[in-house]
Structure formats: structure tokens, C-alpha cells
Amino acid sequence: MAAVLDGSLASFKLPEVLTFLQTTRKTGRLDLQSDAHAAQVFLDAGSVVFASSNQEDLRLGAILTRKKRISRDQRDRIDALMREEGGRFGQLAVQQGVLGEAQLHDFLKVQVSEILYDAFFWKGGTFSFDDVAQLPEHAVTISVDLANLVMEGARRIEEWAQCRELLPDDQVVFRIVARPAEDKITLTVDEWRILFLINGRRTLEELCSDTEDEPLQIYRVVYGLLSNKLIEPTQPPAARALDDDTDSANTTRLVTAHSDDTVRQAPANFGRESTIRDAPEDDTSLLLSSEARLLSYRELMKPTVAQLSVVNGTDQGTVIPLTEAEYTVGRQRDNSLRLNDLGVSGKHARIFRGPDGYVIEDLKSRNGTWLNGARVFHAALKSGDRLRLGATDFDYQVLYEATPSPGTTSPA
């Protein structure tokens, strides 16, 4: 049967289409398409009651990970169960004790809103409304005021436009200008986490792709850090494209520590998920972000004293104490820890103190950074870990660590 309403999303924006369907109290299915992106929105008497998408980052597991409700390991474990036994992500998460029924209920509703917000940002595409379409077999209903949903979507669009105007170059590279002052700087945990990922080599685009946060959130945080002079732009990517290994006049066969096959992972296989359950109450409050408690540097960080012991090569037996906030490791002279290993890049890795102790981060080195036999790009270190950079192995040991100071901190 032909659609009763169709058109171009370039001519009629999605909020306008939804508002029309609400005011005319339409019941049916709205199909949305833009290039490879597709979504379906079901309405009952003008109210959105269900939504689905073909995008992996809008699956329930991806949203729960992005919202920090489950870990990557938990998500991967449930994905494996889905492949082996079938079923839906939400049901398996409850069965595994990862989520409670109430938490699942709330995040199924959030998933619907995120599908619509994503479509609000499409630059074009088509829409088609069928007034006789039936809900999928397992779909259940949700109660969200459409006017509030459209207003929240419009706010996000406006804020994203402002962010792109304030930070128009997604290839810019930022670096931290100084160690944050313990008593004066107060940020949320997520803001501290993003600050620690800014290393003078990642572009803004890479920062968005390397984390599971929404790009809008990354832009918000980066602009706030820039405005408060905690970070500054550094040289463009073209200027840092030359490898630092040119400081040696001799050409030497580079060390290949392990096969790259150890770091390849199969993509997650998310199943189609029923996103909503019966609920007569208005769920609009679930779509809005909550206030996050501010933490000082001292409150966030776990005091840690550790050491690296060189276990092979000409420096075997050397012990390197780790007490500072950050170290860079490589062959270049300006590194905190300089290695005379031709398999090590000029700027090979960064070791810095994170909320749970020291963290190792590979700086796009030629031969990689290896932790306990597997190549890593960003990993927390635990006592007893074995690190390999080039042909040099290190044992990592924690000598002292304490829990950060509890308590609530207010902005200075």
C-alpha cells in the first residue's frame, strides 16, 4: 500500500514532520532514510511509542556502554551470548545481573530518544509515513511528550552548531599546558578522563573516534578546557607526520615484537532490540542529562608510587621510579625516560597517572607497545605487568597506592 505522506528531509525537517503527525494525532509508522542510515518511528495518536535504527552505535549495548552503565567487557560477554544462544540484549543483561529491570526499563526509553536525536542531525534524506503499519512483534509502548523531545533535539542541534563554530577545525591537536592545580581546578570525572586523553598527538577528530562519548560531549569538554587555559593547540598533523626515528644516522632492522593479529577483534554483533515497555507516566525527564558532581584533582586521583624494572638489554637491572604525574618514553632526548633501543620510536609512549593508578598509552609508535604479550594502545597498569617497547622489557610494580580523599568539592 502506498504511503499516505512522503517527502524530502531537506525540504521538511524531521521536527516539523513529527510536529505535524502529533497535531493531527496520526497512528502508523514513519520510515526515515539518509544514505546508509535508516530508522523507523511508530506513533499512536500522535505520540511516539517505538523506534528502531540500523546503526550499531544506537543499539542498546552501545548506548549502555556510552552512558557508563556497563563496561566493554560486560557488553562483549552479552554479545557473545547473543551469538551463541540468541535472545535480546536487554533480557540477557538482566539475566546476567548486569542490569536491573528498572534500569533496563529506563534505558530502553533513552534508546528511543537517541534514535530520534540522531536523525535530527541528518543533512538530508527522505521520509515516508504509512498509517496502517503494525508494531514489531516484541515492541511495547513508551510515554514521552513529543513537544519536549523536539525541544531537546532543537537544543542539541543549536549547541552542536555552536561547538562547530567555536572549534571549526577537527584536525587541530591539543596538548595540556600545565599540571592542573590540585586546589583550584574542579571538573567532573568524565572531564578529567578526556583531559588525560589529550596528549599533543591526537586530533580533535581522533579524540571523538577513540572514545565512546558522543562527539557533542567531547566538543563541550574540549572547549571548556581550552577556555580555561588547561589545554592549547599545538602543531598541525602535517608538522608531526615525520617520524622521530630520523635522529639516528644508522639504518637498523626494526624489532617486531609480536604479530598484529593479536590486536584484531571481530566487530560486535548487536541484535535488534525492543526498545520500550508499557509505561503510563511521562518519561521526558529520562532524556535530559543529570548534574555531575565536581571533583578536584586531589579528590579524583589515587596516590600511586610505582617503578619500572628493566629486565633485559644493556640497561638490565635498572630501576625507574614513577612518582610524577606524567612521563614520555622514547629515543628522543627530550623524553622523560630515554631508551637507547633502535626498535623504540622517538616519541614512543606516554605513562601518566590516572584515576586508578598509572596508565600506558602508545603514541602511534612504529613497533607498538605491548602489555603481557598483547599490543595495547591505552591500558591501565597493574602490579606484576610486563611491558615491552621495542626490544626492551619492563616489569611494573606498585610500591604504594591509596584511595583518593572522599567528599564533595565545589568550584573555586
Side-chain angles (χ1 to χ4, degrees), residues 30-262:
L30 179 66
D31 291 308
L32 307 171
Q33 185 80 39
S34 178
D35 297 325
H37 295 172
Q40 293 183 328
V41 182
F42 291 82
L43 297 99
D44 181 15
S47 297
V48 174
V49 295
F50 182 78
S52 63
S53 170
N54 69 342
Q55 296 185 66
E56 296 293 339
D57 62 352
L58 293 174
R59 301 296 186 186
L60 181 61
I63 290 175
L64 287 166
T65 308
R66 194 160 57 242
K67 300 291 186 182
K68 311 297 187 297
R69 291 298 181 180
I70 65 173
S71 67
R72 285 188 184 185
D73 288 343
Q74 290 171 326
R75 184 188 70 186
D76 293 343
R77 187 169 66 248
I78 297 172
D79 284 339
L81 285 174
M82 289 176 63
R83 291 191 293 270
E84 295 170 3
E85 304 175 6
R88 294 178 292 160
F89 191 97
Q91 292 175 329
L92 292 173
V94 173
Q95 292 172 9
Q96 293 292 309
V98 174
L99 291 177
E101 286 283 357
Q103 290 176 312
L104 174 61
H105 188 190
D106 287 346
F107 275 93
L108 291 173
K109 301 168 187 176
V110 171
Q111 185 186 22
V112 174
S113 67
E114 293 297 330
I115 289 170
L116 284 171
Y117 293 148
D118 176 76
F120 284 177
F121 284 87
W122 295 357
K123 295 181 179 179
T126 60
F127 67 88
S128 176
F129 181 76
D130 184 347
D131 63 357
V132 295
Q134 297 295 315
L135 280 168
E137 180 182 355
H138 299 291
V140 286
T141 57
I142 186 173
S143 175
V144 174
D145 184 83
L146 185 55
N148 285 335
L149 189 146
V150 170
M151 288 296 293
E152 172 68 6
R155 183 195 64 78
R156 292 191 183 197
I157 292 171
E158 181 179 2
E159 186 172 0
W160 178 245
Q162 291 173 347
C163 286
R164 294 305 299 265
E165 183 177 348
L166 293 168
L167 298 170
D169 182 8
D170 63 4
Q171 296 303 301
V172 66
V173 176
F174 293 103
R175 64 185 176 193
I176 299 175
V177 296
R179 177 177 175 173
E182 295 185 356
D183 297 324
K184 294 183 179 180
I185 302 300
T186 54
L187 303 172
T188 66
V189 171
D190 282 346
E191 288 167 342
W192 281 117
R193 178 174 51 79
I194 293 171
L195 178 64
F196 293 142
L197 292 175
I198 294 172
N199 60 5
R201 296 179 72 86
R202 277 192 179 94
T203 65
L204 181 56
E205 180 183 43
E206 290 169 338
L207 194 62
C208 292
S209 64
D210 288 350
T211 68
E212 292 181 327
D213 297 88
E214 296 171 357
L216 178 59
Q217 174 64 9
I218 296 293
Y219 271 71
R220 283 180 187 141
V221 172
V222 169
Y223 182 70
L225 297 173
L226 182 64
S227 298
N228 284 286
K229 296 182 171 48
L230 296 178
I231 61 175
E232 64 183 1
T234 185
Q235 72 271 21
R240 59 189 177 92
L242 294 176
D243 195 280
D244 294 326
D245 295 334
T246 55
D247 62 351
S248 174
N250 299 321
T251 57
T252 304
R253 181 178 62 83
L254 292 172
V255 174
T256 302
H258 299 272
S259 168
D260 283 346
D261 290 341
T262 58

Side-chain angles (χ1 to χ4, degrees), residues 256-265 366-370 375 377:
T256 302
H258 299 272
S259 168
D260 283 346
D261 290 341
T262 58
V263 298
R264 293 182 186 144
Q265 297 179 352
R366 182 173 299 179
N367 289 309
T369 297
W370 301 81
R375 189 170 185 172
F377 301 95

